[in-house]
Amino acid sequence: MKTYYNEKKEKFLSLFRGLLLFTALLLVKFDIIPPISQSIFNIFLIISSVYILITTVFPIYKYSLFYKYEIFSAIDVIIVAILVYLTGGISSDLYLFLIFPIVSSAFRYDFRSAILSAILVTLIFTLFGIVQGINIILSSTYIRVIELGIIAIILALFLNYIGRESLRLEQKINEMKIFSEIIKTVNSSLETKEVLSLILESAVKLLGADGGTIFLKDKETGDLIFEKAIGEKGELLEGKKLSKGEGVVGWVVENGSPVIINNPQKDPRFSSYYDKLSGFKTGSIICVPLKVEDEVLGAIEIINSNRNRKFTDYDLDMLMNLAYETSIALNKALLYSQVNLEREKMKKILENVGDGLVILDGRKRLSMFNNVASEIFQLSFGQAGKRCTEVLKCRNLSGEIMCSECPLDKMVFQGLSLMQYEMKVWNGEKEIILGCNLSGTWEGRKVTNFILALRDISLAKELDRMKSEFVANVSHELKTPLTAIKGYSELLMKMNLPPERVRNYYQIIYKESERLTQLVNDLLEVSRIESGRIELKKDMVEIRKIIKERATFFQTRTSKHTIVLQFPEYPTFVLGDSARLTQVFHNLLDNAIKYSPNGGNVWVRVADKMEDILIEVQDQGVGIPPEHLPHIFDRFYRVDSSLRKSTSGTGLGLSIVKSIVEAHGGKISATSKVGEGTTFTIRLPRRFSLVDPLTGTLSLPYFFPILWREMYKTQGPFAFGKISYEFEGLISDNVRKNTVYNLANRLKERLKPNDLIGHGFDRFYLFTRTVMDIEEKISHIPLGDIGALKVHFKFLSSVNSSIEEVVKVINEDFQ
Ligand code: ADP
């Protein structure tokens, strides 16, 4: 049985013992019970007083060395024995004081020391008789001995019995106190980790053990995880795993029953692996399962080293009780953490769904909302708990506050579980239209929660509006030329008109049908783009030429506007579809003129950036308000303004432009200032590599810009030549490549630094400042048995030609 050290009791006992011994000493000192020899007594008085004082005043019993009651009792017996001897031995009136150590031992519930003291006392008394030459059995003093012995043993037994019972009681109370303390703290915590630490610490304390571990079972794999470990290097074990059924713990978890192992080294279930890992020497193990009903959640294992005591059945009982109580708390904590995890997951999902979500309680107070909803209604966390009328401010589609016709009330009133409606709210910047899905959770006839899912449908609504407007626009646009065609053809059919008028009417009909065709083509183009089908017929396109042609087209139609072209002096090529690119500049120039009702300049700038061609179309028109700017490239989008009614348009022009530019790998952007004008910027990539990998000569799209630059820079004499080649006969790909490569090298050899050589599909171009005296020359170079190479060398320009003439010749040649 475990003895509990009780400080209060020990203090009292020390004091009592001190007082008793002192009383005995004083009785002798003051001759009430005279000593045999005064001088010896005086020495004894000093020594024993010091001992009694120290052991009474100084709580010596706290130290483990003195924590042996046997030593204490023996010293006390010896002191009293000397005292009794000094006051007459067998006939001393102090003889009953000898009972004291027995009483104190028994009082401590220390049966062993009590019996020991009783035997010791009897022996001493007998010894006194022998020393004093009195035959105890024959003299009447034997009665004293018997008296003393019997009293001592009865007292020891009696007190010990009472002591045992009271100790048991006290121990129980103590355990219950610890238990209730544990359960209180464990129940008040819902954190699994915390619960486990508490259980383990208490268990180790309660059993006075050296260490312990709590294992939790992984529900999926059945593995046992070291959740918490106390003891030497316990932290080393945390997080480690035992596989299903492994070790003593594995056995306990599998069987669901507890076990005490007091000789683990001999038990086959015991694995010494963790002893080796932690350096701990396991001497005894007690392990109980943590069970809720029939489900084993894990196990708690308490260990003592081989220096500590072995575990008893009592320990097992205690641990089982603890395990029972705590597994309930643990289960609660586990469930709680599971629910918490689920809740966290749900919260994350709800927070991040694209739709807005607002949850209101049955009294229409805000209880939860996600990020999207907080943006829509401008909600902050401080507003949780407020009434919806204060924070949501919902309006119907006509813009009136909805509270008098609140859908939530309607839901309750009509007992609906789901409702759908649309509403408007102001999100701080603009009014948005929301599609709402309202559902409720019912408890009897009461709604406990309203769940409002919201989707911003402003754009869809706007697109809807735009589409119907577009249909109206298109119909109008189609109707105008059709009315003219119909009217004039009627006139032609019904009236006899002079040939002049007839011709005129035919012209009108033709023009209108052309406009009709254009419109239909536009629509077809959009539908093609919408379905993602744009096919580009790529070719070398001189961008300046296209723009110049469109500029002339529009300039002839307007006198209010001046189209100013700011181009590089040299041709600017991109690889692209010339018809589509024409359409891009047609639409941009058309808009620039259309949306500059007061006229002004329209600038078109082209800049050659080597890798990209940069084109700007700038006007001095009405401009585009900033809130519309991000949408102007959207299909059917037309800026709401007074101009909108007076200008024809379908809202398709810019979306076509954007699709074409992007199909060319380019980018388009717009900047604008209301009342000052708009600038569209296009960046088109050349999409060529600088050097032809086969011949090491410049590829043409790079050759030309550099050529023009050089020509305009040098202004001195130069010559421009062309070497075209043609293979005759059956020449393999390899021979072809080798031949072109050799030809390029031979040409390069003849050039000076800063001369240029460019390579096209079937030709080289040369630009040289050293005039070569080569006349036009055609040569046949045989290539093996079956074919030959025909090379045609010709100077396209002579030294005396002007730059403009050279550019013209080259452009013509290039066509
Ligand atoms: P639309 O057929 O209406 O011209 P677009 O797609 O070409 O369609 O243009 C979309 C809208 O962008 C136009 O309705 C107009 O309001 C605006 N916009 C386009 N270009 C200009 C410009 N140069 N200046 C001002 N507004 C422009």
Side-chain angles (χ1 to χ4, degrees):
M1 185 192 282
K2 183 119 189 96
T3 320
Y4 285 93
Y5 164 72
N6 184 329
E7 189 168 337
K8 222 159 109 191
K9 199 168 79 184
E10 282 301 323
K11 264 189 186 156
F12 168 73
L13 209 60
S14 285
L15 201 68
F16 176 67
R17 163 181 160 277
L19 276 176
L20 210 71
L21 287 176
F22 260 120
T23 314
L25 288 172
L26 290 179
L27 283 175
V28 181
K29 176 76 194 155
F30 294 109
D31 274 351
I32 298 164
I33 298 165
I36 307 167
S37 155
Q38 192 65 50
S39 53
I40 298 176
F41 175 76
N42 282 345
I43 299 167
F44 172 74
L45 178 70
I46 294 168
I47 298 173
S48 49
S49 299
V50 170
Y51 167 75
I52 293 163
L53 263 177
I54 290 178
T55 51
T56 309
V57 178
F58 192 66
I60 210 156
Y61 43 80
K62 272 192 178 173
Y63 300 94
S64 55
L65 179 69
F66 297 94
Y67 198 58
K68 289 271 176 221
Y69 298 129
E70 290 89 340
I71 298 176
F72 258 117
S73 306
I75 296 176
D76 283 354
V77 169
I78 290 164
I79 289 178
V80 181
I82 296 173
L83 197 61
V84 170
Y85 184 74
L86 287 177
T87 51
I90 259 183
S91 49
S92 168
D93 290 336
L94 282 178
Y95 80 102
L96 271 179
F97 274 79
L98 278 169
I99 296 169
F100 163 71
I102 309 165
V103 176
S104 77
S105 295
F107 201 62
R108 276 196 190 98
Y109 328 130
D110 187 0
F111 182 66
R112 243 185 358 193
S113 331
I115 293 295
L116 190 83
S117 307
I119 294 169
L120 213 64
V121 163
T122 318
L123 275 177
I124 286 170
F125 220 74
T126 316
L127 201 73
F128 286 165
I130 295 165
V131 172
Q132 286 175 282
I134 299 167
N135 189 331
I136 294 172
I137 302 174
L138 292 179
S139 78
S140 59
T141 33
Y142 75 92
I143 293 173
R144 279 196 167 191
V145 179
I146 294 167
E147 218 175 75
L148 203 63
I150 291 171
I151 291 174
I153 289 170
I154 290 174
L155 255 175
L157 286 174
F158 178 67
L159 286 177
N160 191 59
Y161 174 74
I162 299 174
R164 255 174 198 269
E165 282 308 303
S166 91
L167 175 68
R168 208 171 271 154
L169 213 68
E170 197 180 319
Q171 215 166 328
K172 266 268 171 289
I173 293 169
N174 216 351
E175 275 160 20
M176 271 163 69
K177 256 196 217 157
I178 296 183
F179 253 72
S180 76
E181 205 57 35
I182 295 169
I183 289 159
K184 213 159 65 192
T185 26
V186 159
N187 275 330
S188 65
S189 167
L190 286 168
E191 284 291 316
T192 324
K193 275 254 167 226
E194 207 179 318
V195 168
L196 294 179
S197 298
L198 269 170
I199 296 170
L200 192 64
E201 273 164 28
S202 322
V204 170
K205 202 165 95 190
L206 212 59
L207 267 61
D210 291 325
T213 314
I214 283 197
F215 296 85
L216 283 190
K217 194 164 98 174
D218 185 319
K219 276 197 178 139
E220 272 150 38
T221 58
D223 286 350
L224 293 168
I225 299 153
F226 282 84
E227 278 296 324
K228 182 81 204 157
I230 294 182
E232 247 173 86
K233 301 197 183 155
E235 68 285 351
L236 279 183
L237 303 176
E238 279 171 31
K240 295 223 159 37
K241 270 185 196 169
L242 284 180
S243 39
K244 193 173 178 225
E246 192 186 334
V248 175
V249 194
W251 186 89
V252 167
V253 170
E254 284 301 290
N255 292 282
S257 36
V259 70
I260 295 187
I261 301 175
N262 273 333
N263 229 335
Q265 319 299 338
K266 288 192 184 142
D267 196 295
R269 291 167 293 190
F270 177 71
S271 144
S272 58
Y273 171 75
Y274 289 99
D275 271 11
K276 278 182 198 134
L277 192 73
S278 61
F280 184 83
K281 277 227 155 17
T282 306
S284 48
I285 299 174
I286 182 165
C287 185
V288 297
L290 293 169
K291 265 203 300 197
V292 174
E293 287 169 8
D294 280 337
E295 194 193 355
V296 181
L297 306 174
I300 177 162
E301 186 186 50
I302 303 293
I303 46 171
N304 264 344
S305 70
N306 50 9
R307 274 173 286 144
N308 204 336
R309 65 190 182 87
K310 306 281 180 200
F311 289 117
T312 62
D313 285 345
Y314 184 80
D315 295 330
L316 185 68
D317 270 356
M318 215 147 61
L319 196 62
M320 291 269 290
N321 281 343
L322 184 71
Y324 173 75
E325 295 291 345
T326 48
S327 39
I328 295 169
L330 179 66
N331 193 37
K332 208 166 84 182
L334 283 174
L335 278 178
Y336 177 78
S337 70
Q338 229 167 30
V339 169
N340 240 5
L341 261 175
E342 282 300 314
R343 190 187 298 164
E344 274 301 301
K345 206 162 81 185
M346 281 310 289
K347 209 172 142 203
K348 277 266 144 16
I349 294 172
L350 291 183
E351 261 170 19
N352 295 305
V353 286
D355 288 353
L357 201 91
V358 176
I359 299 177
L360 301 157
D361 66 11
R363 293 165 68 189
K364 299 205 282 184
R365 282 175 315 201
L366 195 59
S367 62
M368 206 214 104
F369 51 87
N370 69 354
N371 295 341
V372 178
S374 85
E375 266 169 40
I376 294 176
F377 294 108
Q378 294 178 284
L379 296 173
S380 63
F381 283 102
Q383 281 170 320
K386 289 205 170 153
R387 280 187 69 80
C388 71
T389 43
E390 283 175 69
V391 282
L392 298 188
K393 307 257 185 309
C394 312
R395 290 169 188 276
N396 60 19
L397 293 184
S398 338
E400 296 144 357
I401 287 280
M402 271 171 99
C403 294
S404 57
E405 36 161 340
C406 179
L408 276 64
D409 294 339
K410 194 173 162 191
M411 169 168 258
V412 178
F413 190 65
Q414 297 186 359
L416 304 171
S417 55
L418 190 75
M419 276 177 73
Q420 284 179 330
Y421 58 94
E422 286 174 4
M423 66 180 190
K424 271 186 184 172
V425 288
W426 175 257
N427 77 349
E429 284 170 13
K430 58 179 190 299
E431 196 165 57
I432 50 175
I433 304 173
L434 297 172
C436 310
N437 251 328
L438 175 67
S439 54
T441 51
W442 288 82
E443 223 177 72
R445 304 197 63 207
K446 236 173 71 188
V447 173
T448 48
N449 279 298
F450 295 100
I451 300 142
L452 189 59
L454 312 152
R455 181 167 288 185
D456 183 351
I457 52 166
S458 321
L459 202 69
K461 283 261 161 196
E462 181 65 5
L463 274 179
D464 258 5
R465 190 190 62 76
M466 279 178 177
K467 270 195 183 150
S468 35
E469 201 180 284
F470 167 72
V471 172
N473 259 337
V474 168
S475 322
H476 174 77
E477 294 284 318
L478 290 171
K479 224 170 142 189
T480 325
L482 271 177
T483 318
I485 293 170
K486 198 173 156 220
Y488 284 108
S489 16
E490 255 177 25
L491 279 178
L492 284 171
M493 280 191 299
K494 289 184 185 161
M495 293 176 74
N496 220 350
L497 296 162
E500 227 8 47
R501 296 267 293 274
V502 170
R503 209 178 128 73
N504 200 1
Y505 287 177
Y506 274 135
Q507 262 175 359
I508 293 173
I509 291 173
Y510 178 74
K511 247 178 78 187
E512 290 302 321
S513 43
E514 257 203 330
R515 199 174 142 199
L516 210 58
T517 316
Q518 182 56 46
L519 202 68
V520 172
N521 280 346
D522 243 18
L523 287 170
L524 283 176
E525 183 75 8
V526 167
S527 86
R528 230 172 277 140
I529 290 170
E530 267 203 356
S531 58
R533 284 181 282 126
I534 308 191
E535 278 170 25
L536 297 181
K537 289 192 201 86
K538 283 199 181 164
D539 212 339
M540 293 279 278
V541 179
E542 220 280 67
I543 220 88
R544 298 184 319 169
K545 227 167 99 183
I546 292 180
I547 297 173
K548 215 182 273 171
E549 188 265 317
R550 277 299 94 185
T552 322
F553 173 83
F554 281 106
Q555 191 63 80
T556 51
R557 301 175 159 216
T558 170
S559 51
K560 276 204 272 181
H561 303 86
T562 314
I563 302 177
V564 186
L565 303 179
Q566 295 177 335
F567 289 165
E569 290 144 325
Y570 46 85
T572 314
F573 290 98
V574 291
L575 188 70
D577 185 324
S578 82
R580 305 264 186 195
L581 289 173
T582 307
Q583 195 176 1
V584 165
F585 298 108
H586 178 95
N587 290 1
L588 289 179
L589 285 170
D590 187 25
N591 280 351
I593 289 165
K594 226 164 52 177
Y595 299 109
S596 311
N598 302 325
N601 285 348
V602 176
W603 290 274
V604 187
R605 302 187 190 93
V606 175
D608 185 351
K609 303 272 180 209
M610 288 307 281
E611 292 289 330
D612 296 321
I613 306 289
L614 205 68
I615 306 145
E616 278 178 2
V617 179
Q618 184 187 355
D619 61 50
Q620 294 179 304
V622 291
I624 303 166
E627 68 272 19
H628 291 285
L629 208 52
H631 304 294
I632 53 166
F633 295 105
D634 295 350
R635 283 186 291 267
F636 313 127
Y637 197 92
R638 302 198 73 206
V639 175
D640 228 344
S641 72
S642 55
L643 252 189
R644 181 177 164 152
K645 292 195 179 66
S646 57
T647 55
S648 65
T650 52
L652 293 172
L654 286 182
S655 87
I656 295 176
V657 167
K658 187 168 184 240
S659 305
I660 295 175
V661 169
E662 284 176 356
H664 279 83
K667 278 192 182 123
I668 181 162
S669 58
T671 53
S672 186
K673 255 197 174 154
V674 175
E676 287 183 23
T678 307
T679 308
F680 286 91
T681 309
I682 295 176
R683 196 173 267 277
L684 284 176
R686 284 184 196 278
R687 297 253 211 97
F688 307 104
S689 71
L690 192 61
V691 175
D692 181 274
L694 174 66
T695 57
T697 56
L698 285 168
S699 66
L700 284 192
Y702 282 93
F703 175 76
F704 282 120
I706 300 171
L707 172 73
W708 310 130
R709 211 169 295 166
E710 290 298 310
M711 267 173 20
Y712 284 89
K713 202 166 68 191
T714 20
Q715 298 281 332
F718 60 84
F720 184 75
K722 178 171 89 169
I723 302 112
S724 50
Y725 54 83
E726 209 180 309
F727 287 95
E728 290 170 346
L730 283 168
I731 309 292
S732 75
D733 250 11
N734 255 350
V735 176
R736 232 174 249 265
K737 277 184 194 161
N738 275 338
T739 316
V740 175
Y741 175 78
N742 290 335
L743 190 62
N745 277 342
R746 276 187 24 217
L747 290 168
K748 280 198 278 179
E749 269 164 28
R750 303 194 60 175
L751 295 176
K752 293 265 163 72
N754 299 331
D755 287 354
L756 295 175
I757 177 167
H759 182 203
F761 176 64
D762 58 356
R763 64 188 101 168
F764 290 97
Y765 285 108
L766 283 180
F767 167 77
T768 172
R769 293 172 185 86
T770 29
V771 181
M772 302 180 195
D773 60 348
I774 307 176
E775 296 291 306
E776 181 169 351
K777 201 170 150 186
I778 298 179
S779 34
H780 260 88
I781 304 162
L783 296 170
D785 318 333
I786 21 175
L789 175 74
K790 185 179 156 198
V791 183
H792 183 177
F793 186 95
K794 185 185 171 197
F795 268 110
L796 291 178
S797 67
S798 72
V799 194
N800 302 323
S801 325
S802 71
I803 291 177
E804 284 67 33
E805 280 167 346
V806 179
V807 173
K808 196 163 166 268
V809 171
I810 297 171
N811 271 339
E812 276 167 11
D813 183 76
F814 191 71
Q815 290 303 313

